[in-house]
Amino acid sequence: MASDQRGKAETLALRRQFIGSSCRLFFPGDPVKIIRGQGQYLYDEQGAEYLDCINNVAHVGHCHPLVVQAAHEQNQVLNTNSRYLHDHIVDYARKLSETLPEPLCVFYFLNSGSEANDLALRLARQYTGHQDVVVLDHAYHGHLSSLIDISPYKFRNLDGQKEWVHVAPLPDTYRGLYREDHPNPTEAYASDVERVINSARERGRKMAALFVESLPSVGGQIIPPKGYFPRVAEHIRRAGGVFVADEIQVGFGRVGEHFWAFQLQGEDFVPDIVTMGKPIGNGHPLACVATTQAVARAFEATGVEYFNTFGGSPVSCAVGLAVLEVLEKEQLQAHAAHVGSTLMGLLEQQKGKHPIIGDVRGAGLFIGVDLIKDEATRKPATEEANYLVSRMKENYILLSTDGPGQNILKFKPPMCFSFEDAHQVVAVLDAVLTEMEAILRSCATLRAKPQPALQESCL
């Protein structure tokens, strides 16, 4: 039976039979079966249309015709590994270089963001001759063993922290150590990184790299205070290490104001290594590491060849070029700035209306809405966030949560997300929050004076 003719229940049963249970679905209580996508929309087996607010992989839109055409046409001619001379890989590298600061001029192509960060770790260690890595708390850099080790989001639930990994506080000015009322959160958070480095060095450890997501996503859609990157880069470089900017979630114009999120920290700031994935190929398995000549030369000095079977293939590079073409032709970076500003403004209005919204933060089409139990403690409203996401899905809007408390609504839609979409999402969000507040009032009444008829309506 063709998959689009199979009922959702049968598909779910087959998945449970053959797919590892750790490969989790969105909306596990009532998963959505998606069989088609177009632009910012996804369609289920019944033809219902869902507005996708979270898919930053389909960067320029699901099944964008130019990207699909580029892959199809190149697939008909040649798809082989990158050890043959071919124009696409050099054209693509040159085009990417035009988006980056001049020192970042050497490229390695791979298949996934995890592979990119793994290679960045190798490059850093070879260049510095050191082993140790500094990361931010709650960071996630990939699913390879080497990256689980530098991802507190993962290793805290597994084997724990390795002796060569050093964790600095997440620069969260809403619920972190230094908040919006601090006179200089940039310097305070940067000084914490310096202390972590100095403490490690006192124990004889030597720094290879500081890995930072340019905008921490799993950590809760965090916007680091401006100037933080240049300051922590000074500290890691003084210790003999390099600065790695992980752009896998947020690169390629998503932040609107700039093409790369690290540029929000100041146009003069240049990382030593930048990693890319997810949006780079609009769903095609493509990733990249960009670095300096000095770092690349040190890597080459080992005499060990770097080879990636599928990285930089003619089809992958054709897709990458097409994504860049669409971004430019449809002016999606500017679009992200304008639509994102509108969405942020509408969400700020909701913050004034609904006390559960503690904070709205973001840049371009990377936005987080922090849901709280109460304003004084800022306790994460985890259950309420899960309920809200479920109700939004019932209204054909796909959202998800992130953050240590799983209470941050995250908005990372395809870049073609429109002004109309922004208004639609916020209108539904307002209605669901209003409904939810009524339920919470009923629950408060139930706790004060038990009424069995209300029991099932409580969150």
Side-chain angles (χ1 to χ4, degrees):
M1 179 184 293
S3 61
D4 60 350
Q5 297 174 332
R6 184 180 290 134
K8 184 169 81 170
E10 184 182 355
T11 302
L12 183 58
L14 288 168
R15 182 180 175 100
R16 288 171 174 165
Q17 181 180 354
F18 293 110
I19 306 301
S21 60
S22 58
C23 301
R24 297 177 183 173
L25 292 164
F26 285 131
F27 317 108
D30 183 25
V32 185
K33 182 177 180 180
I34 297 298
I35 64 168
R36 186 168 68 87
Q38 189 65 51
Q40 64 270 51
Y41 302 106
L42 292 169
Y43 300 87
D44 70 13
E45 80 284 5
Q46 302 295 326
E49 179 182 88
Y50 292 82
L51 178 58
D52 184 356
C53 296
I54 53 176
N55 202 320
N56 62 330
V57 178
H59 190 58
V60 298
H62 293 281
C63 302
H64 193 288
L66 272 179
V67 179
V68 172
Q69 180 183 6
H72 175 63
E73 290 181 354
Q74 185 56 48
N75 255 319
Q76 291 181 305
V77 179
L78 174 70
N79 193 22
T80 186
N81 65 53
S82 56
R83 298 179 79 174
Y84 295 102
L85 197 60
H86 197 276
D87 284 338
H88 282 357
I89 190 170
V90 294
D91 288 342
Y92 186 41
R94 180 170 59 182
K95 190 75 173 174
L96 269 180
S97 73
E98 294 170 359
T99 71
L100 288 159
E102 188 175 344
L104 296 166
C105 59
V106 182
F107 298 87
Y108 301 87
F109 293 108
L110 317 92
N111 308 309
S112 70
S114 289
E115 281 193 320
N117 278 335
D118 179 74
L119 178 58
L121 184 58
R122 289 178 60 191
L123 289 167
R125 285 174 167 168
Q126 180 60 35
Y127 176 68
T128 64
H130 302 161
Q131 174 80 4
D132 288 30
V133 175
V134 180
V135 294
L136 301 183
D137 208 359
H138 307 297
Y140 176 61
H141 293 291
H143 61 75
L144 300 181
S145 295
S146 61
L147 304 175
I148 296 295
D149 287 343
I150 64 170
S151 297
Y153 168 68
K154 290 291 186 181
F155 71 59
R156 293 200 192 287
N157 297 316
L158 294 169
D159 300 329
Q161 187 173 334
K162 299 290 193 295
E163 63 177 356
W164 52 268
V165 177
H166 313 281
V167 180
L170 183 69
D172 179 355
T173 56
Y174 180 68
R175 53 174 71 251
L177 293 172
Y178 316 109
R179 299 185 174 183
E180 67 276 7
D181 57 351
H182 191 279
N184 193 345
T186 295
E187 193 58 40
Y189 279 116
S191 294
D192 278 345
V193 173
E194 184 180 28
R195 279 192 287 273
V196 167
I197 292 171
N198 289 340
S199 175
R201 293 176 74 188
E202 288 170 4
R203 302 194 307 273
R205 310 303 306 187
K206 295 183 178 181
M207 298 299 123
L210 168 64
F211 270 72
V212 180
E213 298 162 89
S214 295
L215 297 177
S217 179
V218 170
Q221 303 290 97
I222 303 301
I223 310 296
K226 189 167 184 178
Y228 173 74
F229 283 11
R231 292 293 289 129
V232 297
E234 288 177 19
H235 298 320
I236 194 66
R237 287 166 179 162
R238 191 179 301 123
V242 297
F243 186 103
V244 181
D246 179 339
E247 290 272 336
I248 290 162
Q249 293 271 10
V250 294
F252 293 88
R254 175 163 294 280
V255 299
E257 186 179 344
H258 298 283
F259 199 80
W260 302 105
F262 69 78
Q263 292 170 321
L264 293 168
Q265 291 285 312
E267 294 188 16
D268 294 333
F269 173 68
V270 182
D272 300 289
I273 301 172
V274 174
T275 58
M276 312 166 201
K278 293 189 188 300
I280 190 173
N282 211 58
H284 183 87
L286 174 62
C288 181
V289 175
T291 191
T292 63
Q293 288 282 2
V295 172
R297 281 196 296 268
F299 191 56
E300 292 157 8
T302 63
V304 177
E305 176 190 21
Y306 176 75
F307 173 57
N308 188 303
T309 301
F310 303 110
S313 74
V315 170
S316 292
C317 290
V319 167
L321 281 163
V323 170
L324 293 180
E325 180 184 353
V326 172
L327 284 168
E328 184 176 346
K329 183 178 293 185
E330 299 183 8
Q331 300 182 339
L332 292 180
Q333 181 182 328
H335 179 79
H338 299 320
V339 175
S341 177
T342 295
L343 180 56
M344 285 273 288
L346 293 170
L347 291 168
E348 283 286 355
Q349 292 174 15
Q350 294 302 305
K351 178 184 172 186
K353 183 176 180 180
H354 301 286
I356 194 172
I357 298 179
D359 190 40
V360 176
R361 52 184 176 262
L365 285 174
F366 176 92
I367 297 171
V369 177
D370 197 317
L371 302 184
I372 57 173
K373 296 278 191 182
D374 65 85
E375 188 175 358
T377 65
R378 300 183 180 181
K379 182 179 179 181
T382 303
E383 298 83 2
E384 292 87 344
N386 289 335
Y387 175 83
L388 180 60
V389 166
S390 176
R391 288 290 291 122
M392 293 295 283
K393 189 259 290 184
E394 290 171 10
N395 284 273
Y396 304 100
I397 293 172
L398 302 181
L399 271 175
S400 185
T401 60
D402 241 327
Q406 288 297 307
N407 65 303
I408 316 297
L409 301 180
K410 59 180 180 182
F411 290 84
K412 291 183 288 188
M415 296 276 277
C416 50
F417 190 84
S418 70
F419 291 103
E420 292 77 15
D421 296 329
H423 283 277
Q424 177 191 349
V425 167
V426 175
V428 175
L429 182 68
D430 181 23
V432 173
L433 285 174
T434 300
E435 168 202 81
M436 191 168 73
E437 288 161 355
I439 293 173
L440 289 171
R441 285 193 295 271
S442 297
C443 289
T445 302
L446 176 63
R447 284 190 291 270
K449 187 176 182 180
Q451 300 178 45
L454 291 175
Q455 188 68 49
E456 291 187 4
S457 68
C458 289
L459 301 180

